Amino acid sequence: MNPIIESLLSLLYPRVCPACGELMVEGERLMCLKCRLSLPLTGFERSPQWNPMMEKLMCRVPVERCSAYFHYRRESPQARLIHRFKYGGQPSLGRELMKEYALALKPLGFFDGIDAVSPVSLSFVRLVLRGYNQSYRLACGVSDVTGLPIVRTLRAAHHRSQTRLGADARARNSGRGVYRALRDNLDGIDHLLLIDDIVTTGSTLRACVEALHLERPEMRISVLALASTRLD
Ligand SMILES: [Zn+2]
């Protein structure tokens, strides 16, 4: 956008940082500088084959690589950022954040050998209630940078919102059988990158990985998320 028009627009419609609510100044993108500097980066991309997120994803099926942009903690500025993206009607925020992270991951070879990206699916009911699948928006951000196709590989049955459940109930709720792999869409994919928004216990992703493995045992699977909660 023309910088003069951008300045005029910011006078009329001041841009607010989605994380802290302060006004943003010219040159600040997606969040204010203060929030950007305090973003708790995971650094998982430096060891994508073994990191705390991989510990959460451990199941019968091995995951090739995994990483997440930043750590997630409730009541933090990052939580507000994600809330805006997930429920606050700002789906483009997630796409842009993931684009930013994908740009950092690309030169590290994180996407090497990957054939397609696939968002973790929402059930039809939740999709209608929310209006969009947040993981799909994140997948768009990865695709913007890598050019990889976005493929729908999973179908989800309706289950209660994960956020209202305790860890045990969540694990049961996201257990096997909740996700089904769409066999026809997996043709020709040797290495798939699954995309999710926040990894908490990892149970949702483990269920997805197992469902995919059931249909295509020889396919390799990697995982990328916007945020991951710390293991305490
Ligand atoms: Zn801020």
Side-chain angles (χ1 to χ4, degrees), residues 52-73:
M53 182 170 154
M54 190 64 94
E55 285 181 42
K56 293 182 188 176
L57 300 178
M58 277 170 65
C59 60
R60 292 177 303 120
V61 186
V63 168
E64 286 282 316
R65 300 191 272 269
C66 72
S67 197
Y69 194 179
F70 49 85
H71 289 292
Y72 177 88
R73 191 167 43 82

mmCIF file with all atom_site columns, all heavy atoms in Angstrom, residues 52-73:
data_model
loop_
_atom_site.group_PDB
_atom_site.id
_atom_site.type_symbol
_atom_site.label_atom_id
_atom_site.label_alt_id
_atom_site.label_comp_id
_atom_site.label_asym_id
_atom_site.label_entity_id
_atom_site.label_seq_id
_atom_site.pdbx_PDB_ins_code
_atom_site.Cartn_x
_atom_site.Cartn_y
_atom_site.Cartn_z
_atom_site.occupancy
_atom_site.B_iso_or_equiv
_atom_site.pdbx_formal_charge
_atom_site.auth_seq_id
_atom_site.auth_comp_id
_atom_site.auth_asym_id
_atom_site.auth_atom_id
_atom_site.pdbx_PDB_model_num
ATOM 1   N N   . PRO A 1 52 ? 10.454 -30.718 23.099 1.00 0.00 ? 52 PRO A N   1
ATOM 2   C CA  . PRO A 1 52 ? 9.349  -30.999 24.041 1.00 0.00 ? 52 PRO A CA  1
ATOM 3   C C   . PRO A 1 52 ? 8.000  -31.239 23.361 1.00 0.00 ? 52 PRO A C   1
ATOM 4   O O   . PRO A 1 52 ? 7.154  -31.963 23.901 1.00 0.00 ? 52 PRO A O   1
ATOM 5   C CB  . PRO A 1 52 ? 9.310  -29.740 24.909 1.00 0.00 ? 52 PRO A CB  1
ATOM 6   C CG  . PRO A 1 52 ? 10.700 -29.214 24.854 1.00 0.00 ? 52 PRO A CG  1
ATOM 7   C CD  . PRO A 1 52 ? 11.181 -29.499 23.465 1.00 0.00 ? 52 PRO A CD  1
ATOM 8   N N   . MET A 1 53 ? 7.814  -30.664 22.180 1.00 0.00 ? 53 MET A N   1
ATOM 9   C CA  . MET A 1 53 ? 6.545  -30.891 21.474 1.00 0.00 ? 53 MET A CA  1
ATOM 10  C C   . MET A 1 53 ? 6.501  -32.337 20.960 1.00 0.00 ? 53 MET A C   1
ATOM 11  O O   . MET A 1 53 ? 5.457  -32.979 20.995 1.00 0.00 ? 53 MET A O   1
ATOM 12  C CB  . MET A 1 53 ? 6.435  -29.898 20.313 1.00 0.00 ? 53 MET A CB  1
ATOM 13  C CG  . MET A 1 53 ? 5.165  -29.986 19.523 1.00 0.00 ? 53 MET A CG  1
ATOM 14  S SD  . MET A 1 53 ? 5.079  -28.570 18.389 1.00 0.00 ? 53 MET A SD  1
ATOM 15  C CE  . MET A 1 53 ? 4.054  -29.251 17.108 1.00 0.00 ? 53 MET A CE  1
ATOM 16  N N   . MET A 1 54 ? 7.664  -32.830 20.517 1.00 0.00 ? 54 MET A N   1
ATOM 17  C CA  . MET A 1 54 ? 7.716  -34.210 20.026 1.00 0.00 ? 54 MET A CA  1
ATOM 18  C C   . MET A 1 54 ? 7.348  -35.187 21.146 1.00 0.00 ? 54 MET A C   1
ATOM 19  O O   . MET A 1 54 ? 6.701  -36.204 20.896 1.00 0.00 ? 54 MET A O   1
ATOM 20  C CB  . MET A 1 54 ? 9.123  -34.500 19.488 1.00 0.00 ? 54 MET A CB  1
ATOM 21  C CG  . MET A 1 54 ? 9.242  -35.798 18.733 1.00 0.00 ? 54 MET A CG  1
ATOM 22  S SD  . MET A 1 54 ? 8.255  -35.820 17.215 1.00 0.00 ? 54 MET A SD  1
ATOM 23  C CE  . MET A 1 54 ? 9.446  -35.291 15.999 1.00 0.00 ? 54 MET A CE  1
ATOM 24  N N   . GLU A 1 55 ? 7.716  -34.850 22.374 1.00 0.00 ? 55 GLU A N   1
ATOM 25  C CA  . GLU A 1 55 ? 7.363  -35.720 23.509 1.00 0.00 ? 55 GLU A CA  1
ATOM 26  C C   . GLU A 1 55 ? 5.852  -35.855 23.630 1.00 0.00 ? 55 GLU A C   1
ATOM 27  O O   . GLU A 1 55 ? 5.328  -36.905 23.969 1.00 0.00 ? 55 GLU A O   1
ATOM 28  C CB  . GLU A 1 55 ? 7.919  -35.141 24.813 1.00 0.00 ? 55 GLU A CB  1
ATOM 29  C CG  . GLU A 1 55 ? 9.402  -35.339 24.962 1.00 0.00 ? 55 GLU A CG  1
ATOM 30  C CD  . GLU A 1 55 ? 9.914  -34.777 26.284 1.00 0.00 ? 55 GLU A CD  1
ATOM 31  O OE1 . GLU A 1 55 ? 9.245  -34.962 27.313 1.00 0.00 ? 55 GLU A OE1 1
ATOM 32  O OE2 . GLU A 1 55 ? 10.981 -34.148 26.266 1.00 0.00 ? 55 GLU A OE2 1
ATOM 33  N N   . LYS A 1 56 ? 5.143  -34.754 23.335 1.00 0.00 ? 56 LYS A N   1
ATOM 34  C CA  . LYS A 1 56 ? 3.675  -34.797 23.418 1.00 0.00 ? 56 LYS A CA  1
ATOM 35  C C   . LYS A 1 56 ? 3.067  -35.627 22.290 1.00 0.00 ? 56 LYS A C   1
ATOM 36  O O   . LYS A 1 56 ? 1.964  -36.130 22.415 1.00 0.00 ? 56 LYS A O   1
ATOM 37  C CB  . LYS A 1 56 ? 3.101  -33.383 23.293 1.00 0.00 ? 56 LYS A CB  1
ATOM 38  C CG  . LYS A 1 56 ? 3.418  -32.455 24.442 1.00 0.00 ? 56 LYS A CG  1
ATOM 39  C CD  . LYS A 1 56 ? 2.728  -31.142 24.157 1.00 0.00 ? 56 LYS A CD  1
ATOM 40  C CE  . LYS A 1 56 ? 3.094  -30.059 25.119 1.00 0.00 ? 56 LYS A CE  1
ATOM 41  N NZ  . LYS A 1 56 ? 2.470  -28.786 24.757 1.00 0.00 ? 56 LYS A NZ  1
ATOM 42  N N   . LEU A 1 57 ? 3.789  -35.696 21.167 1.00 0.00 ? 57 LEU A N   1
ATOM 43  C CA  . LEU A 1 57 ? 3.216  -36.361 19.991 1.00 0.00 ? 57 LEU A CA  1
ATOM 44  C C   . LEU A 1 57 ? 3.562  -37.848 19.932 1.00 0.00 ? 57 LEU A C   1
ATOM 45  O O   . LEU A 1 57 ? 3.133  -38.545 19.024 1.00 0.00 ? 57 LEU A O   1
ATOM 46  C CB  . LEU A 1 57 ? 3.727  -35.684 18.712 1.00 0.00 ? 57 LEU A CB  1
ATOM 47  C CG  . LEU A 1 57 ? 3.389  -34.197 18.572 1.00 0.00 ? 57 LEU A CG  1
ATOM 48  C CD1 . LEU A 1 57 ? 3.992  -33.632 17.288 1.00 0.00 ? 57 LEU A CD1 1
ATOM 49  C CD2 . LEU A 1 57 ? 1.876  -33.980 18.563 1.00 0.00 ? 57 LEU A CD2 1
ATOM 50  N N   . MET A 1 58 ? 4.348  -38.300 20.904 1.00 0.00 ? 58 MET A N   1
ATOM 51  C CA  . MET A 1 58 ? 4.784  -39.691 20.860 1.00 0.00 ? 58 MET A CA  1
ATOM 52  C C   . MET A 1 58 ? 3.605  -40.654 20.975 1.00 0.00 ? 58 MET A C   1
ATOM 53  O O   . MET A 1 58 ? 2.808  -40.564 21.902 1.00 0.00 ? 58 MET A O   1
ATOM 54  C CB  . MET A 1 58 ? 5.794  -39.966 21.971 1.00 0.00 ? 58 MET A CB  1
ATOM 55  C CG  . MET A 1 58 ? 7.198  -39.539 21.577 1.00 0.00 ? 58 MET A CG  1
ATOM 56  S SD  . MET A 1 58 ? 8.335  -39.572 22.950 1.00 0.00 ? 58 MET A SD  1
ATOM 57  C CE  . MET A 1 58 ? 8.368  -41.292 23.321 1.00 0.00 ? 58 MET A CE  1
ATOM 58  N N   . CYS A 1 59 ? 3.489  -41.512 19.975 1.00 0.00 ? 59 CYS A N   1
ATOM 59  C CA  . CYS A 1 59 ? 2.444  -42.546 19.984 1.00 0.00 ? 59 CYS A CA  1
ATOM 60  C C   . CYS A 1 59 ? 2.983  -43.730 19.204 1.00 0.00 ? 59 CYS A C   1
ATOM 61  O O   . CYS A 1 59 ? 4.188  -43.826 18.970 1.00 0.00 ? 59 CYS A O   1
ATOM 62  C CB  . CYS A 1 59 ? 1.145  -42.002 19.409 1.00 0.00 ? 59 CYS A CB  1
ATOM 63  S SG  . CYS A 1 59 ? 1.274  -41.416 17.706 1.00 0.00 ? 59 CYS A SG  1
ATOM 64  N N   . ARG A 1 60 ? 2.098  -44.591 18.761 1.00 0.00 ? 60 ARG A N   1
ATOM 65  C CA  . ARG A 1 60 ? 2.549  -45.777 18.040 1.00 0.00 ? 60 ARG A CA  1
ATOM 66  C C   . ARG A 1 60 ? 3.170  -45.431 16.697 1.00 0.00 ? 60 ARG A C   1
ATOM 67  O O   . ARG A 1 60 ? 3.868  -46.217 16.092 1.00 0.00 ? 60 ARG A O   1
ATOM 68  C CB  . ARG A 1 60 ? 1.359  -46.717 17.818 1.00 0.00 ? 60 ARG A CB  1
ATOM 69  C CG  . ARG A 1 60 ? 0.824  -47.337 19.107 1.00 0.00 ? 60 ARG A CG  1
ATOM 70  C CD  . ARG A 1 60 ? -0.387 -48.185 18.838 1.00 0.00 ? 60 ARG A CD  1
ATOM 71  N NE  . ARG A 1 60 ? -1.444 -47.437 18.193 1.00 0.00 ? 60 ARG A NE  1
ATOM 72  C CZ  . ARG A 1 60 ? -1.960 -47.718 17.023 1.00 0.00 ? 60 ARG A CZ  1
ATOM 73  N NH1 . ARG A 1 60 ? -1.516 -48.744 16.349 1.00 0.00 ? 60 ARG A NH1 1
ATOM 74  N NH2 . ARG A 1 60 ? -2.932 -46.986 16.515 1.00 0.00 ? 60 ARG A NH2 1
ATOM 75  N N   . VAL A 1 61 ? 2.853  -44.218 16.225 1.00 0.00 ? 61 VAL A N   1
ATOM 76  C CA  . VAL A 1 61 ? 3.320  -43.802 14.899 1.00 0.00 ? 61 VAL A CA  1
ATOM 77  C C   . VAL A 1 61 ? 4.406  -42.723 15.055 1.00 0.00 ? 61 VAL A C   1
ATOM 78  O O   . VAL A 1 61 ? 4.179  -41.723 15.714 1.00 0.00 ? 61 VAL A O   1
ATOM 79  C CB  . VAL A 1 61 ? 2.146  -43.210 14.081 1.00 0.00 ? 61 VAL A CB  1
ATOM 80  C CG1 . VAL A 1 61 ? 2.587  -42.906 12.659 1.00 0.00 ? 61 VAL A CG1 1
ATOM 81  C CG2 . VAL A 1 61 ? 0.953  -44.129 14.121 1.00 0.00 ? 61 VAL A CG2 1
ATOM 82  N N   . PRO A 1 62 ? 5.576  -42.938 14.453 1.00 0.00 ? 62 PRO A N   1
ATOM 83  C CA  . PRO A 1 62 ? 6.614  -41.913 14.593 1.00 0.00 ? 62 PRO A CA  1
ATOM 84  C C   . PRO A 1 62 ? 6.296  -40.660 13.775 1.00 0.00 ? 62 PRO A C   1
ATOM 85  O O   . PRO A 1 62 ? 5.772  -40.755 12.675 1.00 0.00 ? 62 PRO A O   1
ATOM 86  C CB  . PRO A 1 62 ? 7.873  -42.607 14.047 1.00 0.00 ? 62 PRO A CB  1
ATOM 87  C CG  . PRO A 1 62 ? 7.364  -43.703 13.179 1.00 0.00 ? 62 PRO A CG  1
ATOM 88  C CD  . PRO A 1 62 ? 6.020  -44.116 13.703 1.00 0.00 ? 62 PRO A CD  1
ATOM 89  N N   . VAL A 1 63 ? 6.610  -39.507 14.352 1.00 0.00 ? 63 VAL A N   1
ATOM 90  C CA  . VAL A 1 63 ? 6.456  -38.236 13.639 1.00 0.00 ? 63 VAL A CA  1
ATOM 91  C C   . VAL A 1 63 ? 7.860  -37.815 13.204 1.00 0.00 ? 63 VAL A C   1
ATOM 92  O O   . VAL A 1 63 ? 8.814  -37.920 13.966 1.00 0.00 ? 63 VAL A O   1
ATOM 93  C CB  . VAL A 1 63 ? 5.805  -37.177 14.568 1.00 0.00 ? 63 VAL A CB  1
ATOM 94  C CG1 . VAL A 1 63 ? 5.892  -35.782 13.969 1.00 0.00 ? 63 VAL A CG1 1
ATOM 95  C CG2 . VAL A 1 63 ? 4.357  -37.550 14.851 1.00 0.00 ? 63 VAL A CG2 1
ATOM 96  N N   . GLU A 1 64 ? 7.975  -37.378 11.951 1.00 0.00 ? 64 GLU A N   1
ATOM 97  C CA  . GLU A 1 64 ? 9.298  -37.026 11.393 1.00 0.00 ? 64 GLU A CA  1
ATOM 98  C C   . GLU A 1 64 ? 9.898  -35.774 12.041 1.00 0.00 ? 64 GLU A C   1
ATOM 99  O O   . GLU A 1 64 ? 10.982 -35.787 12.552 1.00 0.00 ? 64 GLU A O   1
ATOM 100 C CB  . GLU A 1 64 ? 9.150  -36.752 9.889  1.00 0.00 ? 64 GLU A CB  1
ATOM 101 C CG  . GLU A 1 64 ? 8.948  -37.981 9.054  1.00 0.00 ? 64 GLU A CG  1
ATOM 102 C CD  . GLU A 1 64 ? 10.235 -38.756 8.816  1.00 0.00 ? 64 GLU A CD  1
ATOM 103 O OE1 . GLU A 1 64 ? 11.267 -38.128 8.512  1.00 0.00 ? 64 GLU A OE1 1
ATOM 104 O OE2 . GLU A 1 64 ? 10.207 -39.986 8.947  1.00 0.00 ? 64 GLU A OE2 1
ATOM 105 N N   . ARG A 1 65 ? 9.158  -34.655 11.927 1.00 0.00 ? 65 ARG A N   1
ATOM 106 C CA  . ARG A 1 65 ? 9.631  -33.368 12.437 1.00 0.00 ? 65 ARG A CA  1
ATOM 107 C C   . ARG A 1 65 ? 8.448  -32.629 13.045 1.00 0.00 ? 65 ARG A C   1
ATOM 108 O O   . ARG A 1 65 ? 7.311  -32.808 12.590 1.00 0.00 ? 65 ARG A O   1
ATOM 109 C CB  . ARG A 1 65 ? 10.147 -32.480 11.292 1.00 0.00 ? 65 ARG A CB  1
ATOM 110 C CG  . ARG A 1 65 ? 11.284 -33.036 10.500 1.00 0.00 ? 65 ARG A CG  1
ATOM 111 C CD  . ARG A 1 65 ? 11.875 -31.970 9.596  1.00 0.00 ? 65 ARG A CD  1
ATOM 112 N NE  . ARG A 1 65 ? 11.245 -31.851 8.295  1.00 0.00 ? 65 ARG A NE  1
ATOM 113 C CZ  . ARG A 1 65 ? 11.621 -32.504 7.202  1.00 0.00 ? 65 ARG A CZ  1
ATOM 114 N NH1 . ARG A 1 65 ? 12.642 -33.327 7.266  1.00 0.00 ? 65 ARG A NH1 1
ATOM 115 N NH2 . ARG A 1 65 ? 11.005 -32.323 6.059  1.00 0.00 ? 65 ARG A NH2 1
ATOM 116 N N   . CYS A 1 66 ? 8.711  -31.784 14.019 1.00 0.00 ? 66 CYS A N   1
ATOM 117 C CA  . CYS A 1 66 ? 7.634  -30.943 14.522 1.00 0.00 ? 66 CYS A CA  1
ATOM 118 C C   . CYS A 1 66 ? 8.209  -29.644 15.083 1.00 0.00 ? 66 CYS A C   1
ATOM 119 O O   . CYS A 1 66 ? 9.360  -29.593 15.523 1.00 0.00 ? 66 CYS A O   1
ATOM 120 C CB  . CYS A 1 66 ? 6.801  -31.673 15.576 1.00 0.00 ? 66 CYS A CB  1
ATOM 121 S SG  . CYS A 1 66 ? 7.622  -31.886 17.144 1.00 0.00 ? 66 CYS A SG  1
ATOM 122 N N   . SER A 1 67 ? 7.379  -28.617 15.035 1.00 0.00 ? 67 SER A N   1
ATOM 123 C CA  . SER A 1 67 ? 7.795  -27.342 15.600 1.00 0.00 ? 67 SER A CA  1
ATOM 124 C C   . SER A 1 67 ? 6.572  -26.467 15.862 1.00 0.00 ? 67 SER A C   1
ATOM 125 O O   . SER A 1 67 ? 5.477  -26.724 15.348 1.00 0.00 ? 67 SER A O   1
ATOM 126 C CB  . SER A 1 67 ? 8.763  -26.631 14.649 1.00 0.00 ? 67 SER A CB  1
ATOM 127 O OG  . SER A 1 67 ? 9.455  -25.617 15.344 1.00 0.00 ? 67 SER A OG  1
ATOM 128 N N   . ALA A 1 68 ? 6.773  -25.449 16.688 1.00 0.00 ? 68 ALA A N   1
ATOM 129 C CA  . ALA A 1 68 ? 5.715  -24.469 16.969 1.00 0.00 ? 68 ALA A CA  1
ATOM 130 C C   . ALA A 1 68 ? 6.381  -23.100 17.076 1.00 0.00 ? 68 ALA A C   1
ATOM 131 O O   . ALA A 1 68 ? 7.534  -23.006 17.521 1.00 0.00 ? 68 ALA A O   1
ATOM 132 C CB  . ALA A 1 68 ? 4.994  -24.814 18.258 1.00 0.00 ? 68 ALA A CB  1
ATOM 133 N N   . TYR A 1 69 ? 5.651  -22.057 16.707 1.00 0.00 ? 69 TYR A N   1
ATOM 134 C CA  . TYR A 1 69 ? 6.232  -20.716 16.673 1.00 0.00 ? 69 TYR A CA  1
ATOM 135 C C   . TYR A 1 69 ? 6.552  -20.219 18.094 1.00 0.00 ? 69 TYR A C   1
ATOM 136 O O   . TYR A 1 69 ? 7.664  -19.861 18.401 1.00 0.00 ? 69 TYR A O   1
ATOM 137 C CB  . TYR A 1 69 ? 5.240  -19.773 15.984 1.00 0.00 ? 69 TYR A CB  1
ATOM 138 C CG  . TYR A 1 69 ? 5.794  -18.425 15.556 1.00 0.00 ? 69 TYR A CG  1
ATOM 139 C CD1 . TYR A 1 69 ? 4.981  -17.517 14.898 1.00 0.00 ? 69 TYR A CD1 1
ATOM 140 C CD2 . TYR A 1 69 ? 7.110  -18.061 15.801 1.00 0.00 ? 69 TYR A CD2 1
ATOM 141 C CE1 . TYR A 1 69 ? 5.464  -16.276 14.488 1.00 0.00 ? 69 TYR A CE1 1
ATOM 142 C CE2 . TYR A 1 69 ? 7.597  -16.819 15.399 1.00 0.00 ? 69 TYR A CE2 1
ATOM 143 C CZ  . TYR A 1 69 ? 6.766  -15.939 14.746 1.00 0.00 ? 69 TYR A CZ  1
ATOM 144 O OH  . TYR A 1 69 ? 7.244  -14.730 14.356 1.00 0.00 ? 69 TYR A OH  1
ATOM 145 N N   . PHE A 1 70 ? 5.532  -20.226 18.965 1.00 0.00 ? 70 PHE A N   1
ATOM 146 C CA  . PHE A 1 70 ? 5.782  -19.700 20.315 1.00 0.00 ? 70 PHE A CA  1
ATOM 147 C C   . PHE A 1 70 ? 5.060  -20.524 21.384 1.00 0.00 ? 70 PHE A C   1
ATOM 148 O O   . PHE A 1 70 ? 4.178  -21.324 21.076 1.00 0.00 ? 70 PHE A O   1
ATOM 149 C CB  . PHE A 1 70 ? 5.401  -18.210 20.423 1.00 0.00 ? 70 PHE A CB  1
ATOM 150 C CG  . PHE A 1 70 ? 4.036  -17.863 19.885 1.00 0.00 ? 70 PHE A CG  1
ATOM 151 C CD1 . PHE A 1 70 ? 2.910  -17.998 20.675 1.00 0.00 ? 70 PHE A CD1 1
ATOM 152 C CD2 . PHE A 1 70 ? 3.882  -17.385 18.584 1.00 0.00 ? 70 PHE A CD2 1
ATOM 153 C CE1 . PHE A 1 70 ? 1.657  -17.676 20.193 1.00 0.00 ? 70 PHE A CE1 1
ATOM 154 C CE2 . PHE A 1 70 ? 2.624  -17.050 18.081 1.00 0.00 ? 70 PHE A CE2 1
ATOM 155 C CZ  . PHE A 1 70 ? 1.511  -17.195 18.889 1.00 0.00 ? 70 PHE A CZ  1
ATOM 156 N N   . HIS A 1 71 ? 5.476  -20.282 22.632 1.00 0.00 ? 71 HIS A N   1
ATOM 157 C CA  . HIS A 1 71 ? 4.840  -20.959 23.764 1.00 0.00 ? 71 HIS A CA  1
ATOM 158 C C   . HIS A 1 71 ? 3.509  -20.269 24.076 1.00 0.00 ? 71 HIS A C   1
ATOM 159 O O   . HIS A 1 71 ? 3.385  -19.066 23.924 1.00 0.00 ? 71 HIS A O   1
ATOM 160 C CB  . HIS A 1 71 ? 5.731  -20.895 25.003 1.00 0.00 ? 71 HIS A CB  1
ATOM 161 C CG  . HIS A 1 71 ? 6.947  -21.746 24.900 1.00 0.00 ? 71 HIS A CG  1
ATOM 162 N ND1 . HIS A 1 71 ? 6.898  -23.127 24.878 1.00 0.00 ? 71 HIS A ND1 1
ATOM 163 C CD2 . HIS A 1 71 ? 8.261  -21.432 24.809 1.00 0.00 ? 71 HIS A CD2 1
ATOM 164 C CE1 . HIS A 1 71 ? 8.104  -23.613 24.779 1.00 0.00 ? 71 HIS A CE1 1
ATOM 165 N NE2 . HIS A 1 71 ? 8.958  -22.610 24.728 1.00 0.00 ? 71 HIS A NE2 1
ATOM 166 N N   . TYR A 1 72 ? 2.583  -21.069 24.555 1.00 0.00 ? 72 TYR A N   1
ATOM 167 C CA  . TYR A 1 72 ? 1.263  -20.548 24.882 1.00 0.00 ? 72 TYR A CA  1
ATOM 168 C C   . TYR A 1 72 ? 1.025  -20.657 26.379 1.00 0.00 ? 72 TYR A C   1
ATOM 169 O O   . TYR A 1 72 ? 1.303  -21.685 26.991 1.00 0.00 ? 72 TYR A O   1
ATOM 170 C CB  . TYR A 1 72 ? 0.193  -21.358 24.142 1.00 0.00 ? 72 TYR A CB  1
ATOM 171 C CG  . TYR A 1 72 ? -1.218 -20.954 24.450 1.00 0.00 ? 72 TYR A CG  1
ATOM 172 C CD1 . TYR A 1 72 ? -1.842 -19.952 23.719 1.00 0.00 ? 72 TYR A CD1 1
ATOM 173 C CD2 . TYR A 1 72 ? -1.928 -21.577 25.473 1.00 0.00 ? 72 TYR A CD2 1
ATOM 174 C CE1 . TYR A 1 72 ? -3.140 -19.580 24.009 1.00 0.00 ? 72 TYR A CE1 1
ATOM 175 C CE2 . TYR A 1 72 ? -3.230 -21.201 25.764 1.00 0.00 ? 72 TYR A CE2 1
ATOM 176 C CZ  . TYR A 1 72 ? -3.824 -20.209 25.029 1.00 0.00 ? 72 TYR A CZ  1
ATOM 177 O OH  . TYR A 1 72 ? -5.103 -19.833 25.312 1.00 0.00 ? 72 TYR A OH  1
ATOM 178 N N   . ARG A 1 73 ? 0.569  -19.562 26.962 1.00 0.00 ? 73 ARG A N   1
ATOM 179 C CA  . ARG A 1 73 ? 0.210  -19.574 28.382 1.00 0.00 ? 73 ARG A CA  1
ATOM 180 C C   . ARG A 1 73 ? -1.081 -18.785 28.513 1.00 0.00 ? 73 ARG A C   1
ATOM 181 O O   . ARG A 1 73 ? -1.234 -17.739 27.876 1.00 0.00 ? 73 ARG A O   1
ATOM 182 C CB  . ARG A 1 73 ? 1.335  -18.917 29.186 1.00 0.00 ? 73 ARG A CB  1
ATOM 183 C CG  . ARG A 1 73 ? 1.250  -19.087 30.683 1.00 0.00 ? 73 ARG A CG  1
ATOM 184 C CD  . ARG A 1 73 ? 2.577  -18.671 31.335 1.00 0.00 ? 73 ARG A CD  1
ATOM 185 N NE  . ARG A 1 73 ? 3.127  -17.448 30.775 1.00 0.00 ? 73 ARG A NE  1
ATOM 186 C CZ  . ARG A 1 73 ? 2.746  -16.213 31.131 1.00 0.00 ? 73 ARG A CZ  1
ATOM 187 N NH1 . ARG A 1 73 ? 1.818  -16.038 32.035 1.00 0.00 ? 73 ARG A NH1 1
ATOM 188 N NH2 . ARG A 1 73 ? 3.300  -15.153 30.575 1.00 0.00 ? 73 ARG A NH2 1
#
